[in-house]
Amino acid sequence: MPTIKKFQVTFDCAEPERVARFWCEVLGYVVPPPPEGFDTWAEFDRSLPPGDQGAWFACVDPSGVGPRLFFQRVPEGKVVKNRVHLDVRVATGLVGEERLATLEAECARLVALGAVRERLLPADEDNESCIVMLDIEGNEFCLD
């Protein structure tokens, strides 16, 4: 029987720390402690060569269950649809008006953090409703 592997999800972005802190708020993740010998991430960052400062940031599930999220600075901007799409499960098991109310409440919370609401995909014969959103750098994700 194969072994279950842990994995990390990597985001290419322009501002790694800013995007990581946004996703901490979305998912309830936290920024891990800075490397040994540093009191803060800012102190660690200042110790790097100028070209490497602000080049990456990460966040983790405080329960240790979910994958680590890694954010790396890339020179090119987002040109077309992102290649990784997260479905943020905020209404699992809910249907109808109760599901919509839960999705809308979470959507409002995330818009206040800088996300953009794209559109509601209403329930059909096969799927329950979800809301398509954009993060603070325009990457698409869904509230599901």
Side-chain angles (χ1 to χ4, degrees):
M1 174 177 221
T3 321
I4 302 297
K5 309 291 191 286
K6 292 192 176 216
F7 64 94
Q8 114 178 334
V9 177
T10 299
F11 290 73
D12 290 347
C13 54
E15 298 180 70
E17 183 173 353
R18 179 174 172 251
V19 178
R21 291 189 183 279
F22 169 81
W23 281 100
C24 282
E25 292 295 325
V26 172
L27 301 174
Y29 271 41
V30 297
V31 174
E36 192 172 314
F38 297 94
D39 292 329
T40 66
W41 279 104
E43 181 185 340
F44 170 76
D45 200 48
R46 286 190 301 273
S47 76
L48 300 174
D52 292 340
Q53 292 176 7
W56 63 270
F57 211 77
C59 59
V60 297
D61 175 352
S63 71
V65 175
R68 178 178 189 251
L69 302 182
F70 183 76
F71 302 84
Q72 63 185 2
R73 185 175 59 220
V74 295
E76 68 278 354
K78 181 178 173 300
V79 178
V80 294
K81 185 176 175 171
N82 46 298
R83 298 175 91 179
V84 174
H85 177 108
L86 300 183
D87 290 333
V88 181
R89 310 298 306 273
V90 298
T92 303
L94 301 178
V95 297
E97 292 302 316
E98 184 180 16
R99 181 179 180 85
L100 282 174
T102 300
L103 293 173
E104 293 293 354
E106 184 65 1
C107 177
R109 184 181 81 85
L110 299 182
V111 166
L113 296 173
V116 174
R117 177 194 177 111
E118 279 284 288
R119 65 191 175 282
L120 171 69
L121 297 176
D124 57 26
E125 293 84 31
D126 297 319
N127 300 296
E128 284 296 331
S129 298
C130 69
I131 298 176
V132 180
M133 310 269 309
L134 300 177
D135 76 6
I136 58 175
E137 284 199 359
N139 296 303
E140 186 177 284
F141 67 99
C142 284
L143 295 179
D144 178 27

